[in-house]
Amino acid sequence: MLVRDAMSTVVLTIGPTHTLRQAARLMSARRIGASVVHDPDTCGLGIITERDILDAVGSGLDPDRETASAHTTTDVVFAAPAWTLEEAAEAMTHGGFRHLIVLDGDGPVGIVSVRDIIRCWAPAHRRTPAAAAG
């Protein structure tokens, strides 16, 4: 199975000046765990995750004053839609992260997460009569 088969195509892109609260609100509304951060001044793409926001707020930082740019990972590993899920899982394991921005051509077309990969690899939940009785 390929990354394109597992990735979420809901890609939230925010700017570096968004506050952590704004980022959290937007991510929560879309029920996603990561956002692409595009900085037009550097022409770079980064990623901010729910864990980044949680760590900042948990350490006492003000989510209304802290900006996404201060908590964005800019040393990003990108995936291609044609990568296998094994390649994506290997990149995540090697890098110690849970999300990959998927690039095709000039921009992001999706995000694949550990949860997306597990969902594809896990067997479908089927309740058999024996399982229901036991």
Side-chain angles (χ1 to χ4, degrees):
M1 187 169 270
L2 302 178
V3 165
R4 74 170 51 96
D5 302 318
M7 70 184 190
S8 169
T9 56
V10 176
V11 180
L12 173 63
T13 302
I14 64 172
T17 60
H18 276 79
T19 66
L20 294 184
R21 183 175 310 279
Q22 289 170 325
R25 261 195 203 119
L26 292 167
M27 290 165 59
S28 178
R30 288 161 180 80
R31 301 182 49 83
I32 56 175
S35 175
V36 172
V37 180
H38 177 250
D39 188 343
D41 293 334
T42 65
C43 295
L45 292 178
I47 190 168
I48 189 166
T49 67
E50 59 197 353
R51 169 117 356 124
D52 297 324
I53 296 168
L54 182 66
D55 287 346
V57 173
S59 68
L61 299 176
D62 183 348
D64 292 313
R65 294 184 191 261
E66 289 294 312
T67 61
S69 64
H71 302 278
T72 297
T73 300
T74 55
D75 185 19
V76 180
V77 175
F78 298 100
W83 277 19
T84 65
L85 293 186
E86 289 81 6
E87 289 172 307
E90 174 66 27
M92 289 177 184
T93 301
H94 181 69
F97 43 78
R98 299 177 300 149
H99 298 85
L100 287 169
I101 299 172
V102 183
L103 290 183
D104 192 14
D106 293 331
V109 294
I111 293 183
V112 65
S113 69
V114 170
R115 179 180 293 165
D116 296 327
I117 294 171
I118 290 171
R119 190 176 300 126
C120 290
W121 284 348
H125 290 272
R126 294 187 184 131
R127 289 186 58 92
T128 62

